[in-house]
Every structure is written in structure tokens, then in C-alpha cells.
Amino acid sequence: MGWTDERVELLKKLWQEGLSASQIAKQLGGVTRNAVIGKVHRLGLSGRAAPSKPARTVFKAPRPARPAAAPSAPRRLAEPATLAPAPSPVRYVDEEPGTATVLTLGAHMCKWPIGDPALDNFTFCGRRTDETGPYCHEHAQVAYQPAQAKKKSSAAELARSLRRYI
DNA sequence: CCCTGATTCGC
DNA sequence: GCGAATCAGG
């Protein structure tokens, strides 16, 4: 499969959304993650929202040359490795819950899980915690619900009521 | 061993 | 331009 305009567009979109190359490759289909990475570089959008990443590791091996054919044109030399520090001073999520990731989750941020931990869109609530506990006010109520919920509520109803918090 | 992106270079 | 092979890491 080639890079049609649509596929390139989707690639850009998914890459900007932070999906990994392999995930994008799977979603596109017909390409490997190497192909995706290669395309990403060719498009010139290698960098994205990647906080606190050295962006560039130390100088790699001087390129001892692997078992290949004869050399040709001189390649460009490694650059001085400029990096852009990304300050991210612990912000609480006051508006929409579920935007805190495991990386941005601070000490006093609600640790109520949002979504499926197995998925990569998994987040935490992230709002300011309720004084002491690990959860915000809303989720603390849910978390510390004794046995008040019994009555005639069926298992299905209970599951549905809880789903609201996931 | 799983994964990540980065890079080179034959095609 | 493409992407497999490879590298350097987490």
C-alpha cells in the first residue's frame, strides 16, 4: 500500500494525537511501524508533544559501517543536539476529568482511573483531591460507598450506575 | 523480551 | 520517496 493523501492525513492526525508508530501502523494497515516512522520523518513532523525528553541522546557510534555496499555521498554530520525543556508544573484538572496521565499525575491529584488501563487512552481524573484522600470529592463518594447500595437494584443497574464514573 | 523513536541506505 | 535493518534506549 502506498501513501495516499488520506493515509498521510490520517498518519499526521494520529501522530499529533500522540499514538505510537506501531499503533498508527496497525490502524493504517499494510504498513510497518518502520514505514510510519520513516514517513513521519520525511514529512518533517518527528517531534510532537513530548515533554521532558532529551529529544536526542548522546552521540551514537561514529557509524562503523555495517556490512553493506560501497559508500557514496557524504551524509550530514550530527547536530549539536539542541533540546527544548518543557516545563510542566503540576496542574490540577479543574475542568474535564480524565486528562491526567500517569506521567502528569501529581501528589494531590485525583487518582481515579478513567477508561481501561489496558488501553493507551487510559487516564486519571486528575482533579484536586479531597483534602486527604487520593480521590477528588466526587470520586471519593463513589470509592467509599459502604453497602448503602443494595435494595432492589439489579447487578445490571449497579454496573450502569458505576459506568458513569469510568 | 516487550516496547519506543531515530537513523542509514539499498532499492 | 520508501521502508527494512539496525541502533539506542525505557
Coordinates of all heavy atoms in Angstrom, one line a residue, chain A residues 38-102:
Chain A
G38 N 9.4 6.3 9.2 CA 10.1 6.9 8.0 C 9.3 8.0 7.4 O 9.8 9.0 7.1
K39 N 8.0 7.7 7.3 CA 7.2 8.7 6.7 C 7.1 10.0 7.5 O 7.1 11.1 7.0 CB 5.8 8.1 6.5 CG 4.8 9.0 5.7 CD 5.3 9.3 4.3 CE 4.4 10.2 3.5 NZ 4.9 10.6 2.2
V40 N 7.0 9.7 8.8 CA 6.9 10.8 9.8 C 8.1 11.8 9.6 O 8.0 13.0 9.6 CB 6.8 10.3 11.2 CG1 7.2 11.4 12.2 CG2 5.4 9.8 11.5
H41 N 9.2 11.2 9.5 CA 10.5 12.0 9.3 C 10.5 12.7 8.0 O 10.9 13.9 7.9 CB 11.7 11.1 9.4 CG 12.0 10.7 10.9 ND1 13.3 10.8 11.4 CD2 11.2 10.4 11.9 CE1 13.3 10.5 12.6 NE2 12.0 10.2 13.0
R42 N 10.0 12.0 7.0 CA 10.0 12.6 5.7 C 9.1 13.8 5.6 O 9.3 14.8 4.9 CB 9.7 11.6 4.6 CG 10.8 11.0 3.9 CD 10.4 9.9 3.0 NE 10.7 8.6 3.7 CZ 9.8 7.7 3.9 NH1 8.5 7.8 3.4 NH2 10.1 6.6 4.5
L43 N 8.0 13.7 6.4 CA 7.0 14.8 6.5 C 7.5 15.9 7.4 O 7.0 17.0 7.4 CB 5.7 14.2 7.0 CG 4.9 13.3 6.1 CD1 3.7 12.7 6.8 CD2 4.5 14.1 4.9
G44 N 8.6 15.6 8.1 CA 9.2 16.6 8.9 C 8.4 16.9 10.2 O 8.4 18.0 10.7
L45 N 7.7 15.9 10.7 CA 7.0 16.1 11.9 C 7.4 15.1 13.0 O 6.6 14.5 13.7 CB 5.4 16.0 11.7 CG 4.9 15.0 10.7 CD1 4.9 13.6 11.2 CD2 3.5 15.4 10.3
S46 N 8.7 14.9 13.1 CA 9.2 13.9 14.0 C 8.9 14.3 15.5 O 8.7 13.5 16.3 CB 10.7 13.8 13.8 OG 11.3 15.0 13.8
G47 N 9.0 15.6 15.8 CA 8.7 16.0 17.1 C 7.3 16.2 17.4 O 6.5 16.6 16.5
R48 N 6.8 16.0 18.6 CA 5.5 16.2 19.0 C 5.4 16.5 20.5 O 6.5 16.7 21.1 CB 4.6 15.1 18.6 CG 5.0 13.7 19.2 CD 4.1 12.6 18.9 NE 4.7 11.3 19.2 CZ 4.1 10.2 19.0 NH1 3.0 10.1 18.4 NH2 4.7 9.1 19.4
A49 N 4.3 16.6 21.0 CA 4.1 16.9 22.4 C 4.8 15.8 23.3 O 4.3 14.9 23.8 CB 2.7 16.9 22.8
A50 N 6.1 16.0 23.4 CA 6.9 15.0 24.2 C 7.7 15.8 25.3 O 8.8 16.2 25.1 CB 7.9 14.3 23.3
P51 N 7.1 16.0 26.4 CA 7.7 16.7 27.5 C 8.9 16.0 28.1 O 8.9 14.8 28.1 CB 6.6 16.9 28.5 CG 5.6 15.9 28.2 CD 5.8 15.5 26.7
S52 N 9.8 16.7 28.7 CA 10.9 16.2 29.4 C 11.6 15.0 28.7 O 11.9 14.0 29.3 CB 10.5 15.8 30.8 OG 9.5 14.8 30.7
K53 N 11.8 15.1 27.5 CA 12.5 14.1 26.7 C 13.8 14.7 26.2 O 13.7 15.8 25.5 CB 11.6 13.6 25.5 CG 10.9 12.3 25.9 CD 11.9 11.2 25.6 CE 11.1 9.9 25.6 NZ 11.9 8.8 25.1
P54 N 14.9 14.2 26.4 CA 16.2 14.7 26.0 C 16.2 15.0 24.5 O 17.0 15.6 24.0 CB 17.2 13.6 26.3 CG 16.6 12.9 27.4 CD 15.1 13.0 27.2
A55 N 15.2 14.5 23.8 CA 15.0 14.7 22.4 C 16.1 14.1 21.6 O 16.0 13.8 20.4 CB 14.8 16.2 22.1
R56 N 17.2 14.0 22.2 CA 18.4 13.5 21.5 C 19.3 12.9 22.4 O 19.8 13.5 23.4 CB 19.0 14.7 20.7 CG 19.9 14.3 19.6 CD 19.2 13.2 18.8 NE 20.0 12.8 17.7 CZ 19.8 13.2 16.4 NH1 18.8 14.0 16.2 NH2 20.6 12.8 15.5
T57 N 19.7 11.6 22.2 CA 20.6 11.0 23.2 C 22.0 11.4 22.8 O 22.2 12.2 21.9 CB 20.5 9.5 23.1 OG1 20.5 9.1 21.7 CG2 19.2 9.0 23.7
V58 N 22.9 10.9 23.5 CA 24.3 11.2 23.3 C 24.8 10.8 21.9 O 24.0 10.1 21.2 CB 25.2 10.5 24.3 CG1 26.6 11.2 24.4 CG2 24.6 10.5 25.7
F59 N 25.9 11.2 21.5 CA 26.4 10.9 20.2 C 26.5 9.4 20.0 O 27.1 8.7 20.8 CB 27.8 11.5 19.9 CG 27.7 13.0 19.9 CD1 27.9 13.7 21.1 CD2 27.6 13.7 18.8 CE1 27.8 15.1 21.1 CE2 27.5 15.1 18.8 CZ 27.7 15.8 19.9
K60 N 25.9 8.9 19.0 CA 25.9 7.5 18.8 C 27.2 7.1 18.2 O 28.1 7.9 17.9 CB 24.7 7.1 17.8 CG 23.4 7.3 18.5 CD 22.3 7.3 17.5 CE 22.3 6.1 16.6 NZ 21.2 6.1 15.6
A61 N 27.3 5.8 17.9 CA 28.6 5.3 17.4 C 28.9 6.1 16.1 O 28.0 6.4 15.3 CB 28.5 3.8 17.1
P62 N 30.2 6.3 15.9 CA 30.7 7.0 14.7 C 30.3 6.3 13.4 O 30.9 6.6 12.4 CB 32.2 7.1 14.9 CG 32.4 6.9 16.4 CD 31.2 6.0 16.8
R63 N 29.4 5.4 13.5 CA 29.0 4.7 12.3 C 30.1 3.8 11.7 O 30.7 4.2 10.6 CB 28.5 5.7 11.2 CG 27.0 5.4 10.9 CD 26.4 6.6 10.3 NE 26.1 7.6 11.4 CZ 25.3 7.3 12.4 NH1 24.8 6.2 12.5 NH2 25.1 8.3 13.3
P64 N 30.4 2.7 12.3 CA 31.5 1.8 11.9 C 31.2 1.2 10.5 O 32.0 0.4 10.1 CB 31.4 0.7 13.0 CG 30.6 1.3 14.1 CD 29.7 2.2 13.5
A65 N 30.1 1.5 10.0 CA 29.7 1.0 8.7 C 29.4 -0.5 8.8 O 30.2 -1.3 9.2 CB 30.8 1.2 7.7
R66 N 28.1 -0.8 8.5 CA 27.7 -2.2 8.6 C 28.0 -2.9 7.2 O 28.2 -2.2 6.2 CB 26.2 -2.3 8.9 CG 25.4 -1.4 8.0 CD 23.9 -1.6 8.2 NE 23.2 -0.7 7.4 CZ 21.9 -0.9 7.0 NH1 21.3 -2.0 7.4 NH2 21.3 0.0 6.3
P67 N 27.9 -4.2 7.2 CA 28.1 -5.0 6.0 C 27.2 -4.6 4.9 O 26.1 -5.1 4.7 CB 27.8 -6.4 6.5 CG 27.1 -6.3 7.8 CD 27.6 -5.0 8.4
A68 N 27.7 -3.6 4.1 CA 26.8 -3.1 3.0 C 27.7 -2.8 1.8 O 28.9 -3.1 1.8 CB 26.1 -1.9 3.5
A69 N 27.1 -2.2 0.9 CA 27.9 -1.8 -0.4 C 28.8 -0.7 -0.1 O 29.0 -0.2 1.0 CB 26.9 -1.5 -1.5
A70 N 29.4 -0.2 -1.2 CA 30.3 0.9 -1.1 C 29.7 2.2 -0.7 O 28.5 2.4 -1.1 CB 31.0 1.0 -2.5
P71 N 30.4 3.0 0.0 CA 29.8 4.3 0.4 C 29.7 5.2 -0.8 O 30.3 5.0 -1.8 CB 30.9 4.9 1.4 CG 32.2 4.2 0.9 CD 31.7 2.8 0.4
S72 N 28.8 6.2 -0.6 CA 28.6 7.2 -1.7 C 28.7 8.6 -1.2 O 29.8 9.1 -0.9 CB 27.2 6.9 -2.3 OG 26.3 6.9 -1.3
A73 N 27.6 9.3 -1.2 CA 27.6 10.7 -0.9 C 27.8 10.8 0.6 O 27.3 10.1 1.4 CB 26.3 11.3 -1.3
P74 N 28.5 11.9 1.0 CA 28.8 12.2 2.4 C 27.5 12.6 3.1 O 26.7 13.4 2.6 CB 29.7 13.4 2.4 CG 29.5 14.0 1.0 CD 29.2 12.8 0.1
R75 N 27.2 12.0 4.2 CA 26.0 12.3 5.0 C 26.2 13.5 5.9 O 27.4 13.8 6.2 CB 25.6 11.1 5.8 CG 25.3 9.9 5.0 CD 24.0 10.1 4.2 NE 23.9 9.1 3.1 CZ 22.9 9.0 2.3 NH1 21.8 9.8 2.5 NH2 22.8 8.1 1.4
R76 N 25.2 14.1 6.2 CA 25.3 15.3 7.1 C 25.8 14.9 8.5 O 25.4 13.8 9.0 CB 24.0 16.0 7.2 CG 22.9 15.3 7.9 CD 21.7 16.1 8.0 NE 20.8 15.7 9.1 CZ 19.9 14.7 9.0 NH1 19.8 14.1 7.9 NH2 19.2 14.4 10.1
L77 N 26.5 15.7 9.1 CA 27.1 15.4 10.4 C 26.0 15.5 11.5 O 25.0 16.2 11.3 CB 28.2 16.3 10.7 CG 29.4 16.2 9.8 CD1 30.4 17.3 10.1 CD2 30.1 14.8 10.0
A78 N 26.3 14.9 12.6 CA 25.3 15.0 13.7 C 25.3 16.4 14.2 O 26.3 17.1 14.3 CB 25.8 14.1 14.9
E79 N 24.1 16.8 14.6 CA 23.9 18.2 15.0 C 24.2 18.3 16.5 O 24.2 17.4 17.2 CB 22.5 18.7 14.8 CG 22.2 18.7 13.3 CD 20.7 19.0 13.0 OE1 19.9 18.2 13.4 OE2 20.4 20.0 12.3
P80 N 24.4 19.6 17.0 CA 24.9 19.8 18.4 C 23.9 19.4 19.4 O 24.1 19.6 20.6 CB 24.9 21.4 18.4 CG 25.1 21.8 17.0 CD 24.4 20.7 16.2
A81 N 22.8 18.8 19.0 CA 21.8 18.3 19.9 C 21.2 19.4 20.8 O 21.4 19.6 21.9 CB 22.4 17.3 20.9
T82 N 20.4 20.2 20.2 CA 19.7 21.2 20.9 C 18.4 20.6 21.5 O 17.7 19.9 20.8 CB 19.3 22.4 20.0 OG1 18.4 21.9 18.9 CG2 20.5 23.0 19.4
L83 N 18.1 21.0 22.7 CA 16.9 20.4 23.3 C 16.0 21.6 23.9 O 16.5 22.6 24.4 CB 17.3 19.4 24.4 CG 18.2 19.9 25.5 CD1 17.5 20.6 26.6 CD2 19.0 18.7 26.0
A84 N 14.8 21.4 23.8 CA 13.8 22.3 24.3 C 13.2 21.8 25.6 O 12.3 20.9 25.5 CB 12.8 22.7 23.3
P85 N 13.6 22.3 26.7 CA 13.0 21.9 28.0 C 11.5 22.2 28.0 O 11.1 23.3 27.6 CB 13.7 22.7 29.1 CG 14.3 23.9 28.3 CD 14.5 23.4 26.9
A86 N 10.7 21.3 28.5 CA 9.3 21.5 28.5 C 8.8 21.5 30.0 O 8.5 20.5 30.6 CB 8.5 20.4 27.8
P87 N 8.7 22.7 30.5 CA 8.2 22.9 31.9 C 6.8 22.5 32.0 O 5.9 22.9 31.3 CB 8.4 24.4 32.1 CG 8.3 25.0 30.8 CD 8.8 24.0 29.8
S88 N 6.5 21.7 33.0 CA 5.1 21.2 33.2 C 4.8 21.1 34.7 O 4.8 20.1 35.2 CB 5.0 19.8 32.5 OG 3.6 19.5 32.6
P89 N 4.6 22.3 35.3 CA 4.5 22.4 36.7 C 3.1 22.0 37.2 O 2.2 22.7 37.4 CB 4.6 23.9 36.9 CG 4.1 24.5 35.7 CD 4.4 23.6 34.6
V90 N 3.0 20.7 37.4 CA 1.8 20.1 38.1 C 0.5 20.9 38.1 O 0.4 21.8 38.9 CB 2.1 19.7 39.5 CG1 0.9 19.0 40.1 CG2 3.3 18.7 39.5
R91 N -0.3 20.7 37.1 CA -1.6 21.4 37.1 C -2.7 20.5 37.4 O -2.8 19.4 36.9 CB -1.8 22.0 35.7 CG -0.8 23.1 35.3 CD -1.2 23.8 34.0 NE -2.5 24.4 34.1 CZ -3.6 23.8 33.7 NH1 -3.6 22.6 33.2 NH2 -4.8 24.5 33.7
Y92 N -3.6 21.0 38.2 CA -4.8 20.2 38.5 C -5.7 20.3 37.3 O -5.7 21.3 36.6 CB -5.5 20.7 39.8 CG -4.7 20.5 41.0 CD1 -4.3 21.6 41.8 CD2 -4.3 19.3 41.4 CE1 -3.5 21.4 42.9 CE2 -3.5 19.1 42.5 CZ -3.1 20.1 43.3 OH -2.4 20.0 44.4
V93 N -6.5 19.3 37.2 CA -7.5 19.4 36.2 C -8.9 19.8 36.8 O -9.5 19.0 37.4 CB -7.7 18.0 35.5 CG1 -8.7 18.1 34.3 CG2 -6.3 17.5 35.0
D94 N -9.2 21.0 36.6 CA -10.4 21.5 37.2 C -11.6 21.4 36.3 O -12.7 21.3 36.8 CB -10.2 23.0 37.6 CG -9.2 23.1 38.7 OD1 -9.3 22.3 39.7 OD2 -8.3 24.0 38.7
E95 N -11.4 21.4 35.0 CA -12.5 21.3 34.1 C -12.9 19.9 33.9 O -13.7 19.3 34.5 CB -12.1 22.0 32.8 CG -11.0 23.0 32.9 CD -9.7 22.3 33.0 OE1 -9.5 21.1 32.8 OE2 -8.7 23.1 33.4
E96 N -12.3 19.3 32.9 CA -12.7 18.0 32.4 C -11.8 16.9 33.1 O -10.6 16.9 32.9 CB -12.5 17.9 30.9 CG -13.0 16.6 30.3 CD -14.5 16.5 30.4 OE1 -15.2 17.6 30.2 OE2 -15.0 15.4 30.7
P97 N -12.4 16.0 33.8 CA -11.7 14.9 34.4 C -11.2 14.0 33.3 O -11.8 13.8 32.3 CB -12.7 14.2 35.3 CG -13.9 15.1 35.3 CD -13.8 16.0 34.1
G98 N -10.1 13.3 33.6 CA -9.6 12.3 32.7 C -8.5 12.8 31.8 O -8.2 12.1 30.8
T99 N -7.9 13.9 32.1 CA -6.9 14.4 31.2 C -5.5 14.2 31.8 O -4.5 14.5 31.2 CB -7.1 15.9 30.9 OG1 -7.1 16.6 32.1 CG2 -8.3 16.1 30.1
A100 N -5.5 13.7 33.0 CA -4.2 13.4 33.7 C -3.7 12.0 33.4 O -4.4 11.1 33.5 CB -4.4 13.6 35.2
T101 N -2.5 12.0 32.9 CA -1.9 10.7 32.6 C -1.0 10.2 33.8 O -0.8 11.0 34.7 CB -1.0 10.7 31.4 OG1 0.1 11.5 31.6 CG2 -1.8 11.3 30.2
V102 N -0.5 9.1 33.7 CA 0.3 8.6 34.8 C 1.6 9.4 34.9 O 2.2 9.5 36.0 CB 0.7 7.1 34.5 CG1 1.5 7.0 33.2 CG2 1.5 6.5 35.7

